[in-house]
Amino acid sequence: MTARTITQLAHELREGSTTPRRLLDNALAHAEAAEPSLHAYLALTRELAERQADEAGRMLERDPDGASPLCGVPMALKDVLCVDGVETTAGSRILSGWKPPYTGTAVQRLFDAGAVCVGKTNCDEFAMGSSTENSAFGPAGNPWDVERVPGGSSGGSAATVAAGTVPYALGSDTGGSIRQPASLSGVVGFKPTYGRVSRYGLIAFASSLDQIGPLTRSVEDAAIVYAAIAGGDPRDSTCDPRPLGDPLETLGRGVEGLRLGVPREYMGEGIDPDVRARVEEAMAVLEGLGASLREVSLPTTHAGLSTYYIIAPAECSSNLARYDGVRFGLREDDPSLTEMYLRTRDRGFGVEVKRRVMLGTYALSSGYYDAYYRKAQKVRTVIAEEFARVFEDVDALVSPTSPSVAFTMGDRDDPLSMYMCDVVTLPVNLAGLPGISVPCGFSPELPVGLQVIAPRFEDARVFQVAHAYEQATEWHTSQSPLAATAA
Amino acid sequence: MTLSAADVAHVAVLARLGLDGAERERIGSQLEVILEHIARLQQVDTSSVSETAQVGELVNVMRDDVDGESLPSAVALGGAAASDGGYFVVGAIQDNELDG
């Protein structure tokens, strides 16, 4: 199933040239062959997948036209997404062996549509990282060069799509964790407007920033998956109930007459010159398609990283307080309750999680709250207002997704240089905007991604711009060396 | 700014992280570098803005006060290391003197 998209597989399933069971067998065989070098999965869910494939076969037989395009198509889930009775670890030792008693809303919507879940994908522990090296169960590789990282934290999801095992996977994005691995792995990655997709059943990292979204091989596929998972949910009070409309409606409209802004601060210092060159070429393509480009300024970008690294750790230190050895997960027994907490959390959490819990606890602690947390919340307002002002003059923004291409494992061992990976994606989370990464070339043989950002709830405009660019170029048809081995 | 060893130890206790000495030292020096970078927050003029805790427009989301579906207690207890008669089992709580 090399490089075939959801749309193509949906067509093949209906014309009878394949079956859900055959697609599943191919996906599992390919996953098993690729795993020794890739480690994209923490677990394959063969039994669940076989049940789902058989049910999808019946759904397609009953009503081929009425069935979702996702019916019978194999997929994978980042291991921060809860599935009833299926081990879900968030890449952490503290949740090793934990089986959630319920399925999250976004996942359930895919299952109801007939999706076939092949497995749970590798990720940075509790989604904290930009390389998947922080997984407690070992890093994942990049299908373009397995010595390099696939990005993160949704690195396993990006890797398995780029390897040609499945046409799509779900990830989660708190500061770039869908878009950055998509960029580094040469696939499409979409982070919806904050509040569009229910977070019920997503293991929480930073609740005011987290969103679930798809990693796919095409922009159309991203829109198809988004349409299936988005929309109000009474189980998540931050999930917006306003009507979704048809996210696919704008595909094919082109960009003629659209005003695209290029944030000066996203193209300057810290961006690899080769990455900048690829993105400038992409901008020229969009201009050739009739969009008008202009430079804009988001002057507080320089403080975005600092703002994020107060707010996200603060929220994570609070969210991760629940891992106390009492209700679920690891417990290191001790007669003293306090000692039990200390030992359980010391043993269960990896070093990056400890670092962020420490940073967040410090920022929230008495005497530092105003200087750090309250200040960061105010700067967040400034950053969001700058976006809002820029969007008075332009319809969308275009920029690089990541300052660099995929780096070699072990190359970024100091925390701050790893944090810099997300410098042009995390402001989008701070402002709650929709953003996508779409392949835009290579440097020299590693993928580069173009980021498109739109105002809140204009997710369809993100698809419109990204789709126009994708259809005018061939990058999305390039296959990683590992995809070439797919059945 | 400098983060003293006592500060790091205090924060570790607040965070309920039983870090050993070497880990406290390593994380402490890394936090110092990170906090130095974060200091650039202070350069931003925020005198005329209020805080943003969340970017959604929804406020006070309520539902009708009626019984809904919920997890049976046996299922809710199913992930616990120890439970007994419908309760989670933990050690004695009278020894909690860390914050004192």
Side-chain angles (χ1 to χ4, degrees), chain A residues 331 336 338 345 355 375 381, chain B residues 30 46 50 52 89 95 98:
Chain A
R331 173 190 289 196
S336 148
T338 305
R345 291 163 64 81
R355 208 154 34 221
K375 181 72 181 180
T381 306
Chain B
Q30 288 167 337
T46 54
S50 55
T52 295
V89 175
D95 69 330
L98 280 172

Side-chain angles (χ1 to χ4, degrees), chain A residues 189 331 378 401 414 420:
Chain A
R331 173 190 289 196
K378 287 183 175 178
T401 305
D414 82 287
M420 294 289 182

Side-chain angles (χ1 to χ4, degrees), chain A residues 25-36 38-39 41 44 118 160 165:
Chain A
D25 290 344
N26 286 345
L28 286 170
H30 188 256
E32 276 165 358
E35 272 307 272
L38 209 56
H39 197 213
Y41 288 90
L44 294 174
V118 167
T160 192
T165 305

